[in-house]
Amino acid sequence: MPVSHGTGQVPSQGSPTGEAHPMTATGLLLDRGKTRKRGCHLRKRIMVTGGAGFMGAHLCERLLAEGHDILCVDNFYTGSRDNIAHLLGHPHFELLRHDITFPLYVEMDEIYNLACPASPVHYQNDPVQTTKTSVHGSINMLGLAKRVRAKILLASTSEVYGDPEIHPQQEGYWGRVNPIGPRACYDEGKRCAETLFFDYHRQHGLRIKVARIFNTYGPRMHPDDGRVVSNFIMQALTGEPITLYGDGIQTRSFCYVDDMVEGLVRLMDSRDEFIGPVNLGNPEEYTMRSLAERVLDLAGSNSPLTHRPLPKDDPQRRCPDITLARQELDWRPTTRLEDGLSRTIDYFRAKYGATSETCHNQLGPDR
């Protein structure tokens, strides 16, 4: 399977464990030296899989600002070139179109493994590939990290808790997940990815970090990805009815993307003995109805509220206990919901305008 990369082509072939000899390519990938010094700081070679996605693009931007060499890897199933277009001319940024279910041979110091569709509309559209991305993709990235002795972070999810029986959710809770339901491709895929990460740590001494990410929102979200924040904003801006599933009293917590990126970077930079899993999210809990009312107010919209049946396996309550993140990472979200929503609404209004054609009605459950 040929993979386009910069000025040349890199054939992506080899053992599915990622343990074979490295292949050469141009630019960043040829640099086999260890971490370089940049002034009084260390410049690291960092790979971000899913780097053209909503959260990945923000992470690439942050790591570039810190002076690192960044390899953004994405197959563009849900990612967008628009998200990283402003980074393409940066001398320390490189883009590689690649599906991590196939092995990849590069030299890196750190790997942020974010690649996987994260919204119900997208991950249920091709559930087999979603599971492959979490499982085969993790095997390939862990094999790569083992070979080059890189530190690797897994962007896991609060979905590993399923429809929880305890509240708020703590990292020690094993979850309540339906292994054969329509969301299992994502929920169980991430649970298996966590298993693989911990087994590579125990068996091979790999340096790992596991973050369980709760609902995150902000600029660069896809307008029709089925997540509740983008659903509500697009409906409010286009004057369509705001869709509430069930009675609208199910809850979620919402973390602004800049706060989430800060948490991921702090986790990667934390002491090696702290590997997680650790909850990253906003501990403030909101009902779907209250979120809709805030969006309507901030968008200046008169859209009415409408109700649809609650989707199968949709959790009733979801809120993180972030005690561990506070203790180990000195991290907590600092962006108020109203401020984050205002910035996100401004982004959607500027990028997509307020015409009904921009809303494709591919609206899904309260992710």
Side-chain angles (χ1 to χ4, degrees):
M1 176 179 177
V3 179
S4 62
H5 172 263
T7 59
Q9 297 286 325
V10 182
S12 180
Q13 302 171 343
S15 163
T17 63
E19 305 279 346
H21 64 279
M23 297 182 181
T24 60
T26 58
L28 183 63
L29 307 189
L30 268 178
D31 188 351
R32 298 178 58 88
K34 297 307 290 180
T35 304
R36 284 88 64 206
K37 286 190 175 182
R38 183 183 65 87
C40 59
H41 302 287
L42 291 178
R43 173 183 292 163
K44 293 179 286 190
R45 301 161 305 176
I46 302 176
M47 180 165 70
V48 180
T49 72
F54 155 55
M55 194 181 308
H58 285 276
L59 179 61
C60 287
E61 199 171 62
R62 163 68 182 270
L63 295 171
L64 275 176
E66 292 186 352
H68 302 300
D69 292 329
I70 306 303
L71 175 62
C72 170
V73 176
D74 207 295
N75 69 353
F76 294 103
Y77 175 62
T78 59
S80 170
R81 292 182 183 274
D82 289 344
N83 289 337
I84 44 87
H86 63 296
L87 304 178
L88 292 176
H90 196 289
H92 299 294
F93 180 81
E94 197 165 2
L95 173 63
L96 174 64
R97 182 168 190 149
H98 180 80
D99 186 332
I100 66 166
T101 61
F102 296 89
L104 180 61
Y105 305 102
V106 293
E107 301 296 322
M108 288 291 133
D109 300 307
E110 293 178 353
I111 301 168
Y112 287 84
N113 188 28
L114 275 61
C116 189
S119 72
V121 167
H122 291 149
Y123 67 64
Q124 293 181 35
N125 183 57
D126 191 347
V128 172
Q129 187 62 27
T130 296
T131 304
K132 284 183 176 180
T133 301
S134 287
V135 179
H136 291 180
S138 290
I139 290 171
N140 288 330
M141 293 303 101
L142 287 163
L144 171 63
K146 178 188 172 188
R147 182 181 64 78
V148 301
R149 297 186 296 276
K151 182 162 50 172
I152 181 169
L153 181 148
L154 171 66
S156 187
T157 172
S158 61
E159 297 291 329
V160 300
Y161 298 122
D163 190 4
E165 298 169 298
I166 67 168
H167 192 80
Q169 290 78 59
Q170 297 177 326
E171 290 86 352
Y173 176 52
W174 290 358
R176 180 171 173 254
V177 174
N178 177 1
I180 60 172
R183 300 169 71 101
C185 59
Y186 187 67
D187 302 1
E188 294 286 38
K190 288 293 190 178
R191 285 160 69 95
C192 185
E194 287 194 13
T195 299
L196 287 164
F197 267 68
F198 278 86
D199 282 341
Y200 263 79
H201 172 71
R202 285 185 287 256
Q203 186 172 340
H204 301 297
L206 200 64
R207 293 179 298 158
I208 67 166
K209 305 287 182 178
V210 176
R212 289 178 177 167
I213 296 173
F214 284 66
N215 292 58
T216 306
Y217 72 98
R220 299 183 187 138
M221 294 184 78
H222 198 284
D224 57 0
D225 69 357
R227 299 192 218 198
V228 64
V229 172
S230 52
N231 281 1
F232 286 179
I233 291 176
M234 288 304 297
Q235 289 171 331
L237 291 180
T238 58
E240 297 191 2
I242 300 290
T243 305
L244 294 175
Y245 290 88
D247 53 18
I249 63 171
Q250 63 270 40
T251 67
R252 297 293 185 272
S253 61
F254 301 98
C255 186
Y256 189 64
V257 64
D258 289 353
D259 291 330
M260 183 58 65
V261 166
E262 177 68 24
L264 292 174
V265 171
R266 289 193 185 201
L267 176 58
M268 180 65 91
D269 293 342
S270 63
R271 59 190 179 89
D272 283 350
E273 295 77 15
F274 181 66
I275 62 177
V278 58
N279 290 336
L280 295 180
N282 196 320
E284 296 180 358
E285 189 176 4
Y286 297 91
T287 67
M288 297 300 96
R289 179 176 289 275
S290 66
L291 176 69
E293 291 168 349
R294 281 174 167 81
V295 169
L296 287 171
D297 181 58
L298 292 168
S301 173
N302 294 317
S303 293
L305 301 181
T306 187
H307 292 263
R308 292 184 185 177
L310 192 67
K312 183 177 173 57
D313 297 333
D314 194 49
Q316 288 296 308
R317 300 186 73 183
R318 184 67 64 73
C319 184
D321 182 322
I322 63 168
T323 301
L324 189 59
R326 288 176 182 267
Q327 292 173 345
E328 291 289 342
L329 309 178
D330 190 27
W331 176 88
R332 63 179 179 84
T334 60
T335 305
R336 295 173 59 248
L337 181 63
E338 287 75 10
D339 294 336
L341 286 177
S342 293
R343 296 171 200 166
T344 308
I345 290 168
D346 289 345
Y347 166 82
F348 274 88
R349 181 178 280 123
K351 187 169 181 64
Y352 301 105
T355 61
S356 60
E357 288 79 6
T358 61
C359 191
H360 302 286
N361 296 317
Q362 296 180 358
L363 304 179
D366 305 316
R367 173 66 170 84

